[in-house]
Amino acid sequence: MAIRVLLADDHEILLESLATSINTSDTIEVVATAINGEDVIRKLEVHEVDVLVCDMQMPVMDGISTVLQVRQLYPNIKILMLTMLDDVEPITKAIQAGASGYILKKSKKAELEKAILAVASGKKYFNEEIISSLMKEEKGVVNDFHPQSLTERELEILVLIAQENSSQQIADKLFISLNTVETHRKNLFRKLNIKNLAGIIRYAFQHKLIH
């Protein structure tokens, strides 16, 4: 079955162009489009959607607010941000809000399809320019702590955190207690000098622990 996509962008010409382009794929189908965040919520009430491809800058309800709402109402939907913004701050905000990927509007159709397929399968996706921007942030802070200095269990948990698993999901997958996961999480943040999920994802990409 094709991956069902909802496209959200306030530029209607771009929206129509993207929908037409994506619908030429055999594996992806645009089931609906939306022009702002409130429109996204309305469309999700009537359409089955696997992936939301969402612009960052929209009127009425912006991309970050939309991500937060969708994550709360439809936690199984994966979200890919499609935007012109390549600064670290909006990327970090998108990650913290719950986006699974971040790709620039100037990206080619093949990369957009690749990103949609990646997030639909539960992976993260950031194109090379985005990864470069993330790497510049706090450069040298997490670099001095090599993954080899982490225990095997800590590495497992780090990767699962970077893949957006909750502490309870990690506990279930690794057959360990929730308290054990929380202890490892605190130790990881302390060892790596990381304060949030964006930092964990940045570290995981930097050391090629996730792709």
Side-chain angles (χ1 to χ4, degrees):
M1 187 174 68
I3 294 167
R4 299 161 298 189
V5 170
L6 169 60
L7 280 178
D9 196 297
D10 61 314
H11 295 93
E12 295 192 44
I13 294 176
L14 175 61
L15 196 60
E16 291 174 13
S17 174
L18 280 173
T20 300
S21 176
I22 291 172
N23 277 332
T24 61
S25 169
D26 294 330
T27 54
I28 304 169
E29 176 191 5
V30 177
V31 296
T33 60
I35 57 173
N36 57 55
E38 288 187 358
D39 197 18
V40 166
I41 303 303
R42 286 194 295 268
K43 296 294 172 62
L44 288 177
E45 291 174 356
V46 294
H47 292 282
E48 294 273 343
V49 171
D50 301 306
V51 176
L52 167 64
V53 179
C54 185
D55 187 18
M56 182 71 82
Q57 297 173 301
M58 298 185 295
V60 184
M61 186 191 294
D62 66 13
I64 298 299
S65 299
T66 302
V67 173
L68 291 170
Q69 284 266 8
V70 173
R71 291 288 290 170
Q72 181 177 4
L73 297 171
Y74 304 94
N76 292 328
I77 293 177
K78 304 300 181 183
I79 304 172
L80 175 67
M81 306 307 292
L82 180 66
T83 178
M84 293 183 293
L85 302 175
D86 61 355
D87 297 331
V88 169
E89 185 178 355
I91 298 169
T92 302
K93 284 182 178 179
I95 293 169
Q96 291 172 337
S100 296
Y102 199 106
I103 187 171
L104 298 178
K105 285 185 177 179
K106 63 183 179 181
S107 301
K108 294 182 179 179
K109 176 194 170 188
E111 184 169 22
L112 176 56
E113 289 184 5
K114 182 180 178 182
I116 292 171
L117 291 171
V119 299
S121 66
K123 298 177 182 177
K124 297 284 185 184
Y125 190 91
F126 300 90
N127 63 9
E128 290 299 326
E129 290 182 53
I130 299 303
I131 294 173
S132 295
S133 294
L134 287 171
M135 293 308 99
K136 289 174 187 174
E137 182 77 350
E138 298 177 16
K139 191 173 182 181
V141 176
V142 297
N143 280 352
D144 351 38
F145 200 99
H146 198 275
Q148 289 179 351
S149 301
L150 297 172
T151 66
E152 185 176 343
R153 180 63 87 194
E154 285 173 337
L155 275 174
E156 281 182 310
I157 291 175
L158 186 152
V159 170
L160 288 170
I161 292 172
Q163 291 172 338
E164 270 190 286
N165 290 277
S166 68
S167 291
Q168 186 60 63
Q169 288 172 322
I170 294 171
D172 294 341
K173 287 181 179 181
L174 298 181
F175 303 103
I176 57 179
S177 73
L178 183 59
N179 284 341
T180 300
V181 174
E182 290 296 339
T183 298
H184 280 304
R185 181 189 286 266
K186 289 175 184 175
N187 287 341
L188 280 169
F189 277 59
R190 177 181 52 79
K191 283 183 178 181
L192 303 178
N193 195 20
I194 288 173
K195 298 178 181 178
N196 51 42
L197 176 61
I200 285 284
I201 292 173
R202 181 166 54 243
Y203 182 87
F205 268 115
Q206 190 168 13
H207 294 283
K208 304 187 186 308
L209 300 174
I210 60 175
H211 305 283

